[in-house]
Amino acid sequence: AKWWLKHANAQTGQPTTMNAVLFRRHGGPDVLEYTEVPDPSPGPGDIVVRVKACALNHLDCWIRQGIPAYRISLPHISGCDVAGIVERVGEGVTGRRAGDRVVLAPGLSCGRCEWCRRGDDNLCVSYGIRGSAVAGGYAERILAKASDALPLPADLPFDEAAAFPLVFLTAWHMLVGRAKLQAGETVLVHAAGSGVGHAAVQVAKHCKARVLATVGADAKIPKAETLGADAVINYRREPFEEQVLRLTEGRGVDVVFEHIGPQVWESSLRLLAKGGRLVTCGATSGPSVTLDLRYVFSRQLSLLGSLMGTRAELDTVAQLVFRGTLRPVVDTVFPLREARAAQERMLSRDVFGKLVLAP
């Protein structure tokens, strides 16, 4: 009841409706339900955006499955990455108006704590991600703070706009913000066909690094090369560790871009050159790994955790995307009502780049 009242139409007091995909209980993709829900209504400082595109992320699946790190109220609407058109604005909003093309920042922070004040808003004490902390973009409309809306250039398609925020911000923060990747260094990017992997290849090349990449199918090799990978290894066909050592003449790599977890963890550590850095943002193959500390300190390795990125970094990434320097790759656009099929496709790993929903 509280969820309905929160989204009731402010003028009539009665909820108007829209179509959305939600889940009422945790579970597999089969819990996703295409249904009618109340339209959101803007409060002070808010805007309502008509969703034109919403990109999928693995976070959508983790939240649907239910994990302790994300405590949500049910029913819940997922969707971190949203692009669309402003339909309504709330009281006090001056920077945005109806008709504006926008993309929404996926990270949510308070703007007041010590971390936010110093510009590290992704370390905010109340940091959240759109589609987990609040209702997301698997819907025809979405409520957001006007300050979270970035204006879109007219020539950028909505599906590409929705495909870049979370993954390109994450890749930028990992490689530039955390690992401090330098020109001339060698970086290993795992799963270059994934959303965050295809972003990392491009960010690393923008930094003038040598990029070695892994993929899970031969068909993905030329696609990764097109994005700038200098060498691409099909890890299903040949041991990536052996090939990386061959390509680096036994030296190893300066940086490993890691988001897989235990499936590649030990090999990734062994592939680091002395003084190398492993930066990680995810654990799609599981949350627990083994670690030989002697190997870490004897080779002076750095293990770096990374979560999303700052709003300043998002602004930087957005400008690079808007200029065409970085290019989000959209694999397939699904109708909103086919969100279940889209999530199943993402989990199958038969994807290069991003999957997008279009209401």
Side-chain angles (χ1 to χ4, degrees):
K2 290 182 179 179
W3 191 84
W4 278 76
L5 289 172
K6 182 179 178 181
H7 294 78
N9 185 282
Q11 295 179 333
T12 66
Q14 298 297 318
T16 56
T17 61
M18 64 177 179
N19 292 315
V21 171
L22 53 76
F23 56 91
R24 304 178 190 275
R25 58 184 175 86
H26 295 295
D30 58 296
V31 302
L32 295 175
E33 176 185 346
Y34 182 75
T35 187
E36 287 190 349
V37 300
D39 256 329
S41 182
D46 293 337
I47 58 174
V48 171
V49 176
R50 173 171 285 277
V51 178
K52 302 297 287 185
C54 177
L56 274 68
N57 292 282
H58 279 281
L59 178 61
D60 305 349
C61 298
W62 299 337
I63 292 170
R64 168 180 48 72
Q65 293 165 351
I67 55 176
Y70 297 96
R71 300 186 183 278
I72 62 173
S73 298
L74 298 175
H76 181 74
I77 299 173
S78 296
C80 315
D81 287 325
V82 182
I85 299 173
V86 177
E87 273 200 350
R88 288 181 286 164
V89 300
E91 180 182 351
V93 174
T94 58
R96 299 288 175 261
R97 60 184 181 181
D100 285 352
R101 304 173 85 252
V102 297
V103 61
L104 300 181
L108 309 172
S109 55
C110 73
R112 300 181 301 274
C113 70
E114 63 171 305
W115 304 102
C116 288
R117 291 198 305 271
R118 75 182 199 182
D120 293 322
D121 44 284
N122 59 328
L123 294 175
C124 175
V125 295
S126 61
Y127 190 76
I129 299 176
R130 193 176 310 282
S132 60
V134 298
Y138 284 29
E140 291 180 323
R141 297 177 186 84
I142 186 172
L143 183 70
K145 293 294 183 185
S147 56
D148 288 337
L150 285 67
L152 281 180
D155 60 348
L156 185 66
F158 284 112
D159 57 349
E160 292 184 21
F164 90 81
L166 188 145
V167 294
F168 277 85
L169 173 59
T170 297
W172 185 274
H173 186 62
M174 289 175 71
L175 292 173
V176 180
R178 299 291 285 146
K180 311 297 184 188
L181 183 63
Q182 301 296 309
E185 290 190 314
T186 301
V187 57
L188 171 62
V189 175
H190 283 298
S194 67
V196 72
H198 96 286
V201 170
Q202 295 182 63
V203 171
K205 289 308 294 184
H206 178 70
C207 294
K208 296 180 171 56
R210 182 190 183 201
V211 180
L212 311 182
T214 69
V215 295
D218 284 347
K220 296 181 180 182
I221 292 175
K223 296 178 181 179
E225 291 173 339
T226 298
L227 295 181
D230 297 286
V232 186
I233 304 160
N234 181 346
Y235 65 85
R236 297 185 187 276
R237 184 162 46 80
E238 53 189 349
F240 73 85
E241 184 176 0
E242 178 181 311
Q243 292 302 314
V244 169
L245 289 175
R246 179 184 64 82
L247 290 164
T248 60
E249 299 181 340
R251 177 185 179 274
V253 300
D254 300 291
V255 174
V256 173
F257 182 94
E258 206 287 293
H259 52 108
I260 307 300
Q263 184 178 333
V264 301
W265 181 265
E266 291 187 34
S267 294
S268 296
L269 281 179
R270 288 194 295 267
L271 288 173
L272 284 173
K274 288 186 176 182
R277 295 94 75 197
L278 183 151
V279 58
T280 181
C281 72
T284 54
S285 66
S288 300
V289 298
T290 58
L291 180 64
D292 187 335
L293 290 174
R294 296 167 298 182
Y295 193 78
V296 175
F297 65 67
S298 66
R299 297 179 66 82
Q300 299 191 73
L301 306 179
S302 296
L303 305 181
L304 303 166
S306 185
L307 176 66
M308 290 280 282
T310 68
R311 179 58 184 271
E313 288 174 319
L314 178 61
D315 291 340
T316 297
V317 167
Q319 291 308 310
L320 291 171
V321 171
F322 297 164
R323 293 200 298 265
T325 303
L326 301 177
R327 182 174 62 86
V329 175
V330 176
D331 182 292
T332 306
V333 178
F334 287 81
L336 176 62
R337 65 171 63 246
E338 296 181 16
R340 173 179 173 178
Q343 285 198 6
E344 290 172 339
R345 170 80 178 280
M346 182 170 62
L347 292 171
S348 76
R349 300 187 182 181
D350 183 22
V351 178
F352 192 95
K354 299 289 288 181
L355 299 177
V356 175
L357 298 176

